[in-house]
């Protein structure tokens, strides 16, 4: 039985796209949204972290006096 190359050629061209395929714009936009969420969380919690360290410093200094 002979193999018809016209049948095999399209599946070889796709190569790695044979499995699941996500468009690049979806990957880049989800990465951008993730960065925005991360920056928002850092901006939200940074004052609380700074206040915690300031209070810890004040507490440690008040023990010595």
């Amino acid at each position: 039985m002979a193999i018809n190359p016209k049948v095999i050629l399209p599946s070889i061209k796709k190569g790695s796209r044979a499995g699941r395929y996500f468009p690049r714009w979806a990957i880049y936009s989800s990465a951008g949204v993730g960065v925005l969420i991360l920056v928002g969380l850092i901006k939200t919690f940074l004052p609380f972290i700074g206040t915690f360290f300031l209070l810890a410093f004040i507490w440690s200094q008040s023990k010595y006096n």
Side-chain angles (χ1 to χ4, degrees):
M1 177 184 262
I3 298 174
N4 188 358
K6 291 180 184 176
V7 175
I8 297 175
L9 189 60
S11 63
I12 292 173
K13 275 186 178 179
K14 290 186 180 178
S16 64
R17 292 186 181 187
R20 295 183 179 182
Y21 172 70
F22 295 108
R24 288 186 185 209
W25 64 266
I27 295 171
Y28 291 143
S29 62
S30 62
V33 169
V35 167
L36 289 176
I37 290 173
L38 182 67
V39 168
L41 286 174
I42 290 172
K43 285 177 64 174
T44 301
F45 289 117
L46 197 59
F48 294 119
I49 294 170
T51 305
F52 172 75
F53 283 126
L54 180 65
L55 288 174
F57 175 73
I58 291 171
W59 183 264
S60 68
Q61 292 298 315
S62 68
K63 286 184 177 181
Y64 294 120
N65 291 331

